[in-house]
Amino acid sequence: MKLRLCLASFSVIVIVAGAGILVAQNMPPNALVTSNPVYKPDFSHESEPMPNGVMVWDATTKTTNVPQGSLSAHLVFYFTNIAAQVQTMQVTNVTKVSHMAAPGASTRLATLLLASTVSVTNVVWVTNSVSLPVTIGTVHPSCGCTTAQLPSLPWTLPPGTNGQIGVTVNLAGKFGTIVKSVHVGTDHGSRDLIVQITITPLDIKPLTDAERARQMAIAKVDRQAVFKNDCAICHMSRGQYKYGKELYDADCGICHEAEHRASMVPDLHSLKVPTNTDFWQTWIAHGKAGSFMPAFATSDGGPLSDMQVASLAAYLNSAIPSKVPSLH
């Protein structure tokens, strides 16, 4: 009895499995379950120039002007992914053609003509344009002072996607016109983005008598006021990142070499005391309490680093030698 049940169960399994195989074999191709192909970027052409028809950029070179004293400059490049691939393939059309019997033809003739139905094969070429993703794999700024802002890499952009890449350049210690670049590598080639930044000198207008009097009144109360608010434009911003003579012309000469030098501002070329490097360095760094002379060292609330103070003292000791013999 058990043997008979086992044989019956096995027969059912075989029949069901066989039926499934037959159904799968007779299923039309378009009824089969398929999965979409997985996009895998190929970076073998990343170092090659990017051809036209991959990304549309609003510009690949951008320029800007910034005033002297700006800490950085920032520009943004915008783009759209328009990458596409042209696919050409053969399509075969099969058409059945039957011969029609003439009116009044015998039934036998009509039957013979219908039996002579033939299939006509027509082969044509079809061209399609398929949109493609683009993946940015690497981004290399030209130097350490230049950085790029974009999502983490690799960054895959679906067809038709808009994107942007920001470029920031650190301007500390830089003057004139500078040019930097960012190299963008993708699986469809590479592109260089260029930024040109012109640092414009500060446009400082001469003070009126009223403005000069107002600033002197402020300085009587706080000699460090020359490094604050509007006064900082003349007495601090111009000397940023400068040394020696350039620093003297920017920060010191504005008062000591002025055409209409105030009477309380000493003429450094006619000092009545002996001078040397230590003398200049002390006055520059710490200034003089109860006078208009501010303290320029950062340790005393001024704008100059120790190295800038030392360079300024060395320049003054050389450019304005002491006219009074030393007491030692």
Side-chain angles (χ1 to χ4, degrees), residues 226-312:
V226 295
F227 306 134
K228 304 171 185 176
N229 303 319
D230 293 341
C231 296
I233 297 176
C234 293
H235 296 279
M236 187 169 70
S237 300
R238 296 177 61 182
Q240 282 186 317
Y241 317 116
K242 294 182 179 179
Y243 297 89
K245 183 181 185 304
E246 287 187 346
L247 180 56
Y248 177 80
D249 292 340
D251 279 359
C252 308
I254 189 173
C255 291
H256 291 283
E257 305 291 340
E259 181 180 356
H260 302 290
R261 178 172 51 84
S263 58
M264 68 286 299
V265 177
D267 179 1
L268 300 184
H269 301 270
S270 303
L271 294 179
K272 305 301 182 181
V273 296
T275 61
N276 56 31
T277 302
D278 291 337
F279 169 87
W280 294 116
Q281 190 154 342
T282 299
W283 276 75
I284 295 167
H286 309 298
K288 183 180 180 180
S291 74
F292 288 106
M293 179 62 184
F296 278 84
T298 54
S299 58
D300 288 38
L304 302 185
S305 67
D306 291 344
M307 186 175 295
Q308 286 178 301
V309 170
S311 73
L312 195 52

Side-chain angles (χ1 to χ4, degrees), residues 85-167:
Q85 183 181 45
V86 177
Q87 294 181 342
T88 303
M89 62 185 70
Q90 285 185 335
V91 176
T92 302
N93 297 319
V94 179
T95 306
K96 292 186 177 296
V97 178
S98 301
H99 299 285
M100 302 299 295
S106 65
T107 302
R108 177 177 176 79
L109 177 59
T111 301
L112 290 174
L113 289 174
L114 290 173
S116 64
T117 298
V118 296
S119 296
V120 178
T121 301
N122 179 34
V123 179
V124 296
W125 288 92
V126 176
T127 300
N128 294 319
S129 180
V130 180
S131 298
L132 299 175
V134 172
T135 296
I136 297 177
T138 58
V139 173
H140 295 300
S142 57
C143 67
C145 67
T146 305
T147 58
Q149 294 79 48
L150 68 164
S152 58
L153 301 179
W155 178 19
T156 298
L157 301 148
T161 299
N162 298 319
Q164 65 183 53
I165 296 177
V167 177

Side-chain angles (χ1 to χ4, degrees), residues 9-24:
S9 299
F10 179 75
S11 300
V12 170
I13 293 172
V14 171
I15 292 171
V16 171
I21 294 172
L22 290 174
V23 169

